[in-house]
């Protein structure tokens, strides 16, 4: 890891090395996805929103609920939704029961875009991680789950 990031000095701890390795690995993996999605004029955050809305079904979700389901945080979810709406990939409307709440739904164009992206995204994931055994994948998933749970416990409320 040190040579990859051209760090001459040893890491201050194994935890620091692990953290930096995790971030660096994530960045490398995310770049390929990002480059592919750019070809379709969509960001990884926008892709994540479209997948969330497809899963939500025809009723859609309010902005806050979309934000809470994001894989990575986006502090300006409203602007993100504005860009998707401008491209006609989502639609927004006020709920009849509570006019203060705006529901966002994936549009037919958004569903069509996801249909185009689904298979290539599976292939990218397979290319990136398919060399790992099923056991290795399960071990990593378990470790990441433990790390997230620990970090969530530490987070201030």
């Amino acid at each position: 890891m040190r040579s990859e990031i051209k760090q001459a000095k040893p890491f201050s701890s194994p935890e620091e090395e692990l953290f930096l390795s995790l971030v660096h690995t994530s960045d490398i993996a995310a770049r390929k996805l990002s480059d592919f999605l750019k070809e379709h004029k969509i960001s990884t955050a926008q892709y994540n929103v479209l997948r969330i809305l497809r899963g939500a079904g025809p009723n859609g979700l309010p902005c806050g609920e979309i934000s809470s389901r994001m894989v990575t945080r986006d502090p300006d979810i409203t602007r993100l939704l504005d860009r998707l709406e401008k491209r006609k990939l989502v639609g927004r409307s006020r709920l009849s029961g509570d006019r203060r709440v705006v529901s966002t739904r994936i549009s037919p164009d958004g569903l069509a875009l996801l249909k185009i992206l689904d298979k290539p995204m599976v292939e990218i994931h397979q290319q990136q991680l398919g060399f790992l055994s099923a056991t290795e994948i399960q071990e990593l998933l378990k470790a990441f789950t433990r790390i997230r749970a620990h970090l969530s416990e530490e987070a201030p409320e």
Side-chain angles (χ1 to χ4, degrees), residues 62-63 93-103:
C63 183
S93 61
R94 298 208 178 270
L95 295 179
S96 59
D98 186 347
R99 302 289 298 156
R100 297 169 297 172
V101 179
V102 176
S103 182

Side-chain angles (χ1 to χ4, degrees), residues 46-109:
Q46 290 170 330
Y47 174 72
N48 188 209
V49 167
L50 290 176
R51 284 181 42 105
I52 290 166
L53 291 174
R54 176 173 61 184
N59 293 332
L61 294 169
C63 183
E65 184 62 25
I66 295 168
S67 183
S68 73
R69 296 181 185 199
M70 296 283 289
V71 174
T72 56
R73 282 190 151 184
D74 191 314
D76 199 354
I77 191 77
T78 303
R79 192 174 327 171
L80 183 70
L81 294 174
D82 288 345
R83 289 191 297 270
L84 288 169
E85 187 174 38
K86 185 175 181 181
R87 288 193 54 201
K88 298 184 178 4
L89 298 174
V90 302
R92 291 190 272 190
S93 61
R94 298 208 178 270
L95 295 179
S96 59
D98 186 347
R99 302 289 298 156
R100 297 169 297 172
V101 179
V102 176
S103 182
T104 304
R105 293 163 321 289
I106 191 166
S107 71
D109 287 352

Side-chain angles (χ1 to χ4, degrees), residues 1 9 23 26 62-64 80 95 111:
M1 171 68 187
K9 296 179 182 177
V23 172
S26 175
C63 183
L80 183 70
L95 295 179
L111 288 170

Side-chain angles (χ1 to χ4, degrees), residues 2-65:
R2 281 183 22 208
S3 62
E4 289 179 54
I5 62 171
K6 298 178 176 68
Q7 179 172 323
K9 296 179 182 177
F11 294 104
S12 64
S13 68
E15 292 83 4
E16 179 189 40
E17 182 176 8
L18 177 60
F19 176 79
L20 292 174
S21 181
L22 178 64
V23 172
H24 187 56
T25 303
S26 175
D27 180 62
I28 292 168
R31 268 187 259 153
K32 177 143 182 141
L33 290 178
S34 179
D35 291 347
F36 169 71
L37 291 171
K38 278 182 190 174
E39 295 171 16
H40 297 275
K41 298 181 176 73
I42 189 169
S43 70
T44 54
Q46 290 170 330
Y47 174 72
N48 188 209
V49 167
L50 290 176
R51 284 181 42 105
I52 290 166
L53 291 174
R54 176 173 61 184
N59 293 332
L61 294 169
C63 183
E65 184 62 25

